[in-house]
Amino acid sequence: MGGLPAVRGGAGRAAFTRQGWPWTGQDPHREAYRRWVEGLPGLPPGADALLRARQRALDGGHDAETRELHGELARLGVVVRDEGKRQYWRLAGGPPPG
């Protein structure tokens, strides 16, 4: 839900390296994510309300709603990943660090 689906059996590594991309085995943007707390500055207009609604859907186990709101956030340039029922976000854009 909160990111790309897991790729098993080395398929992800093969797909990346075949295209000339490095494979690190983890999200190269991991350090850019911040835990979402209502009202935290830095989000684009409307994103806080979407994250609030998504948190309710996540807490309630409403998977389809959670996925739909994930897409709405992506349209605003917000990338979201989940750890349990906690949401972490970062702004999209730019190449991975390093």
Side-chain angles (χ1 to χ4, degrees):
M1 247 177 287
L4 296 175
V7 179
R8 305 201 192 302
R13 176 188 301 269
F16 270 69
T17 58
R18 188 172 43 250
Q19 298 299 318
W21 290 89
W23 179 260
T24 64
Q26 63 182 354
D27 185 347
H29 296 283
R30 186 164 182 85
E31 296 301 315
Y33 285 91
R34 298 170 61 189
R35 184 171 173 192
W36 175 71
V37 176
E38 190 171 345
L40 190 68
L43 285 164
D48 197 60
L50 289 169
L51 283 162
R52 189 171 36 256
R54 190 174 183 277
Q55 186 67 57
R56 285 192 302 270
L58 194 60
D59 289 341
H62 305 290
D63 295 343
E65 181 77 3
T66 302
R67 283 190 303 275
E68 182 180 338
L69 291 164
H70 187 274
E72 292 295 321
L73 285 156
R75 281 188 271 287
L76 292 179
V78 178
V79 181
V80 183
R81 69 174 172 81
D82 304 322
E83 287 186 14
K85 298 224 178 202
R86 293 180 178 166
Q87 300 183 96
Y88 292 81
W89 67 275
R90 69 172 177 85
L91 297 178

